[in-house]
Amino acid sequence: MVKCSVIYEAVKDSLTMAQVEKRGGLLRKSSAYKKPLKEKVVLMYDEIFMTEDPSKCSPRFWEELFLMKVNLEYLEGKLESLDGEELMKIKDNINCLFQHCIQALGEEHPIRVVNALQTLCALIRGVHQKNKSTSGFDIINMLMGFDKAELCMKNLMESLDSLLCAEGSESLKSLCLKLLLCLVTVTDNISQNTILEYVMINSIFEAILQILSHPPSRREHGYDAVVLLALLVNYRKYESVNPYIVKLSIVDDEATLNGMGLVIAQALSEYNRQYKDKEEEHQGGFFSALTNMVGSMFIADAHEKISVQTNEAILLALYEAVHLNRNFITVLAQSHPEMGLVTTPVGPAPATPATPLGTTPPSSDDEHRLHSGKLCLIILTCIAEDQYANAFLHDDNMNFRVNLHRMPMRHRKKAADKNLPCRPLVCAVLDLMVEFIVTHMMKEFPMDLYVRCIQVVHKLLCYQKKCRVRLHYTWRELWSALINLLKFLMSNETVLLAKHNIFTLALMIVNLFNMFITYGDTFLPTPSSYDELYYEIIRMHQSFDNLYSMVLRLSTNAGQWKEAASKVTHALVNIRAIINHFNPKIESYAAVNHISQLSEEQVLEVVRANYDTLTLKLQDGLDQYERYSEQHKEAAFFKELVRSISTNVRRNLAFHTLSQEVLLKEFSTIS
């Protein structure tokens, strides 16, 4: 082991200055000088911002520059202060600086590499600030020149790939990932960032996977690596073949997939922990906790929100993994210990940044909460459509305790966390959907989210019907929630119809009941469960009668809702048949036995005795659904989401100059 004396010599000035005040690149000894002195690196920056080549007078200029402690603030500020014409005059020097930074990445001394990485970050950010309204083409030309861009980016990407894969400094790997994130987010719309064409050609996909599969690297850098991958996957995903999409879709290495799952699980677990902490601060308030990532995005009344940063970048990463790679579904069983399930993690969990990249700050604006809730429901939709995922979710041999946040409401107490039942995971998904249904009936009605919620339930039922899975679940809670939702739609008909086609949602709810009526004998756990279904329909017959009256009224008028209302009218045929068949018999039974009010068991006795004479119509297509399609239905949503994430990542990136003392301690000896 030999001391790197050259490095100590290069930085000794900045380490021995006593009582130094630094403002905008100016140094002042507290008592020795009155005239401000510029530190050496700032003087060198000033030479770069001249039109002459700084190395003409100082042949060792570039070699010395990368031994100087980087002043990010000054360099970025200087770039931002120049107008377009001034910037073009020094374009050659900027290009030269960019190229020498890339060359320095291959140096033996890590101090040079660190300074080169930080200088590249400052260059990219500074040039971006001057070119906000322009495309990536202008940024490429300003940074490296069109004629040298291909070779420059090839060398840069190869150097970053080597640094990320090497068994070296964690500080270097961290800076490499931050530089890549800076490159990716240099424009708000990443699909307009032409620099990424070079990142597509010179892939770092394998380097990202190596970080995720290697526990020490994953703990240090897994979060940045996952966010970077999620962004790269979204580059021009609808216009061209994106190699990161192709490669992610075929990953089957268990260690890599589990590593990605652990990073995502830890980040979501941290979100839930923060929400729980906020909830405890609000104990005693009427509106409190919601259900996990879906329910806690927003609640019924705006003034009662509990604000926590929503981590849209991690949700996007989870979505891409679930949507693109069916092998990732297996990770669901292994990467959710941090989310409150019964098993415990095998090793230390990866760290999540204090202010994670891609998070949206807490605000009173519901838009981001709606977006996050929508993304969560899209993820659940993809899972509910997947045959393998369903097999796992419904497996009776894989039971878990899942603690969901439940919002305190007037008619129910907050559920205790103790003695949670051990059940297949699909029960938790259904619980979550029920919780969402009952807690989001509000003036600003989230129609799109409700439609997606009902679709998730429908797809799970279709799987159960197809595979004859008899799930032991408290179906009554779902039926009750659905009926209450119908009552809400009817009682707010005028207000809701001004904004939404509520008949689409009403039809979906009615058809869920039709699924139970028509196919319930194939997937309900016991015959008594089927009896209970009829009991609930009969008990709540007034709600179905009111719904029929409403849709009949609108379907017989020549208004805009005529066709939509007519579909609900036809869908109610079997529910009305059940009500009209059993109600007279129940009334007759009560009259004969002189009972003013029948008990549930007495009603069920009448139901069981009169099944044989009930006539129902066969309804087609109840177990069919349109499969999820991102490109055709959700492209606009994801483009806007990725734009928002890109902006937040750029804002939250921390390029603080690493303490020179820390770097010297890390790099002072070389094997």
Side-chain angles (χ1 to χ4, degrees):
M1 309 289 279
V2 293
K3 294 287 182 182
C4 293
S5 57
V6 63
I7 299 174
Y8 275 107
E9 184 68 24
V11 297
K12 65 180 181 180
D13 290 342
S14 61
L15 294 179
T16 56
M17 285 184 179
Q19 298 177 326
V20 174
E21 182 182 7
K22 176 182 176 184
R23 286 197 183 95
L26 300 181
L27 298 178
R28 183 200 297 275
K29 277 194 176 183
S30 59
S31 58
Y33 300 101
K34 291 185 178 180
K35 184 179 179 181
L37 296 175
K38 287 189 175 182
E39 55 183 314
K40 185 173 182 179
V41 73
V42 169
L43 293 171
M44 297 183 81
Y45 291 157
D46 287 343
E47 289 188 54
I48 294 171
F49 284 92
M50 302 295 182
T51 53
E52 294 293 322
D53 180 354
S55 63
K56 280 186 177 179
C57 299
S58 306
R60 292 174 56 84
F61 180 87
W62 298 112
E63 183 180 347
E64 292 178 5
L65 177 66
F66 296 111
L67 289 173
M68 298 290 105
K69 181 179 178 181
V70 178
N71 189 326
L72 286 169
E73 184 181 355
Y74 185 83
L75 184 54
E76 285 185 45
K78 189 75 172 178
L79 284 165
E80 291 176 35
S81 68
L82 301 177
D83 62 31
E85 187 176 337
E86 290 172 328
L87 201 59
M88 284 306 297
K89 286 180 180 178
I90 62 165
K91 175 182 166 297
D92 290 344
N93 282 356
I94 297 294
N95 291 172
C96 198
L97 174 58
F98 196 86
Q99 291 164 28
H100 277 91
C101 284
I102 295 173
Q103 290 174 17
L105 296 182
E107 293 277 354
E108 290 183 11
H109 301 313
I111 288 289
R112 293 183 189 270
V113 180
V114 167
N115 288 334
L117 286 168
Q118 291 181 318
T119 303
L120 283 169
C121 291
L123 268 178
I124 293 166
R125 285 161 65 96
V127 171
H128 160 74
Q129 290 298 321
K130 293 303 298 179
N131 292 269
K132 279 183 177 179
S133 60
T134 61
S135 69
F137 285 108
D138 301 292
I139 296 173
I140 290 173
N141 189 36
M142 183 54 62
L143 287 175
M144 57 197 105
F146 289 130
D147 56 333
K148 298 176 182 176
E150 188 172 342
L151 182 60
C152 274
M153 287 303 299
K154 180 177 182 292
N155 292 337
L156 174 60
M157 296 306 295
E158 286 178 353
S159 294
L160 294 177
D161 185 79
S162 297
L163 289 168
L164 288 172
C165 293
E167 292 184 7
S169 158
E170 298 303 330
S171 297
L172 282 181
K173 291 182 180 180
S174 176
L175 276 176
C176 286
L177 287 168
K178 284 177 167 49
L179 173 58
L180 285 163
L181 284 164
C182 186
L183 271 174
V184 172
T185 60
V186 76
T187 55
D188 289 348
N189 182 346
I190 66 171
S191 292
Q192 292 178 351
N193 182 1
T194 319
I195 294 177
L196 291 191
E197 286 296 330
Y198 302 108
V199 182
M200 297 293 119
I201 296 168
N202 305 285
S203 174
I204 47 147
F205 183 81
E206 286 72 21
I208 294 174
L209 294 197
Q210 182 172 315
I211 288 171
L212 295 176
S213 62
H214 187 55
S217 291
R218 182 176 68 239
R219 284 193 290 274
E220 291 289 332
H221 316 296
Y223 188 94
D224 284 356
V226 164
V227 172
L228 175 62
L229 181 58
L231 289 170
L232 288 172
V233 161
N234 279 276
Y235 174 70
R236 301 193 67 190
K237 66 193 305 187
Y238 308 120
E239 295 92 40
S240 61
V241 177
N242 181 321
Y244 289 85
I245 292 178
V246 176
K247 291 180 179 182
L248 179 58
S249 67
I250 59 175
V251 173
D252 59 1
D253 178 67
E254 187 176 352
T256 302
L257 293 172
N258 283 341
M260 185 182 299
L262 277 169
V263 173
I264 293 170
Q266 173 64 18
L268 296 183
S269 178
E270 176 62 18
Y271 175 93
N272 286 334
R273 185 196 64 75
Q274 289 179 13
Y275 187 86
K276 191 172 182 180
D277 290 347
K278 288 282 186 179
E279 176 195 358
E280 289 172 357
E281 289 176 18
H282 286 71
Q283 288 295 326
F286 174 65
F287 289 98
S288 191
L290 304 178
T291 60
N292 271 349
M293 288 299 293
V294 180
S296 57
M297 296 305 162
F298 62 99
I299 60 177
D301 286 329
H303 64 280
E304 292 288 355
K305 288 190 191 77
I306 297 176
S307 294
V308 178
Q309 287 184 325
T310 53
N311 198 326
E312 292 168 335
I314 278 294
L315 286 176
L316 179 65
L318 175 58
Y319 164 76
E320 298 295 357
V322 168
H323 183 229
L324 296 175
N325 189 309
R326 68 169 308 164
N327 298 313
F328 188 78
I329 296 296
T330 63
V331 175
L332 290 174
Q334 301 177 39
S335 56
H336 48 215
E338 292 87 352
M339 293 190 206
L341 303 187
V342 288
T343 50
T344 54
V346 176
T352 303
T355 303
L357 301 174
T359 56
T360 300
S363 72
S364 58
D365 181 10
D366 269 336
E367 184 179 359
H368 288 295
R369 296 169 186 266
L370 284 164
H371 282 176
S372 297
K374 178 175 179 175
L375 185 52
C376 288
L377 287 165
I378 289 175
I379 292 168
L380 289 173
T381 298
C382 294
I383 292 172
E385 285 185 5
D386 186 273
Q387 184 80 4
Y388 185 86
N390 266 307
F392 165 67
L393 289 175
H394 289 85
D395 192 341
D396 255 340
N397 297 313
M398 299 187 71
N399 295 322
F400 302 91
R401 291 189 179 93
V402 182
N403 180 23
L404 298 180
H405 289 290
R406 295 182 184 274
M407 187 171 76
M409 301 177 75
R410 289 186 180 91
H411 60 277
R412 71 175 185 184
K413 296 179 180 178
K414 182 180 177 182
D417 295 342
K418 298 176 181 178
N419 303 319
L420 289 170
C422 231
R423 304 174 298 171
L425 271 179
V426 70
C427 295
V429 177
L430 289 168
D431 282 349
L432 190 57
M433 297 302 95
V434 169
E435 183 69 11
F436 180 86
I437 291 169
V438 300
T439 57
H440 290 78
M441 299 179 208
M442 55 193 183
K443 294 174 184 177
E444 294 298 322
F445 189 68
M447 173 64 78
D448 179 63
L449 300 191
Y450 267 102
V451 168
R452 294 174 190 278
C453 175
I454 302 302
Q455 286 174 338
V456 169
V457 176
H458 179 236
K459 289 170 182 180
L460 293 174
L461 292 181
C462 288
Y463 174 82
Q464 292 168 22
K465 179 259 179 183
K466 176 184 176 183
C467 298
R468 294 182 174 267
V469 176
R470 296 190 181 277
L471 183 69
H472 289 273
Y473 182 72
T474 313
W475 291 110
R476 266 191 172 179
E477 292 186 4
L478 173 62
W479 300 331
S480 175
L482 293 173
I483 292 170
N484 284 330
L485 179 54
L486 284 176
K487 290 165 68 176
F488 177 83
L489 295 179
M490 288 183 286
S491 62
N492 294 277
E493 173 192 347
T494 304
V495 174
L496 293 177
L497 276 178
K499 297 180 180 179
H500 309 289
N501 178 1
I502 62 173
F503 303 107
T504 300
L505 183 57
L507 180 63
M508 295 172 69
I509 296 168
V510 170
N511 279 337
L512 277 188
F513 279 100
N514 286 332
M515 272 282 288
F516 283 104
I517 293 167
T518 307
Y519 301 118
D521 60 328
T522 65
F523 63 83
L524 286 172
T526 61
S528 63
S529 300
Y530 196 74
D531 300 337
E532 289 170 2
L533 167 66
Y534 277 64
Y535 174 80
E536 283 301 308
I537 292 173
I538 295 163
R539 185 176 72 86
M540 300 302 294
H541 71 89
Q542 192 62 56
S543 296
F544 292 108
D545 291 343
N546 292 343
L547 176 62
Y548 182 75
S549 298
M550 183 181 81
V551 295
L552 186 63
R553 167 172 47 86
L554 290 165
S555 64
T556 53
N557 294 334
Q560 69 177 111
W561 305 116
K562 179 181 175 67
E563 185 179 349
S566 295
K567 291 180 181 179
V568 182
T569 305
H570 295 136
L572 281 166
V573 60
N574 281 341
I575 292 176
R576 284 180 51 75
I578 291 169
I579 293 169
N580 293 335
H581 176 73
F582 286 106
N583 266 358
K585 291 176 171 52
I586 291 169
E587 291 169 3
S588 174
Y589 179 91
V592 169
N593 292 281
H594 306 290
I595 304 172
S596 59
Q597 190 170 353
L598 299 184
S599 66
E600 179 177 340
E601 189 52 47
Q602 288 169 327
V603 173
L604 288 172
E605 182 183 334
V606 176
V607 169
R608 294 186 190 106
N610 290 279
Y611 274 132
D612 293 344
T613 54
L614 173 64
T615 302
L616 298 175
K617 289 186 178 180
L618 183 62
Q619 295 178 307
D620 296 327
L622 293 174
D623 58 344
Q624 304 296 316
Y625 58 81
E626 182 181 359
R627 292 189 65 83
Y628 169 76
S629 172
E630 176 188 323
Q631 185 167 354
H632 296 106
K633 296 287 184 71
E634 309 296 348
F637 166 72
F638 278 100
K639 283 179 180 177
E640 189 56 40
L641 179 71
V642 172
R643 178 190 289 270
S644 171
I645 292 170
S646 176
T647 303
N648 287 325
V649 167
R650 187 170 61 246
R651 182 171 58 235
N652 292 336
L653 271 174
F655 288 118
H656 304 304
T657 306
L658 292 174
S659 161
Q660 216 63 344
E661 292 91 340
V662 171
L663 289 172
L664 283 174
K665 185 177 181 181
E666 186 173 353
F667 302 138
S668 61
T669 58
I670 300 177
S671 300

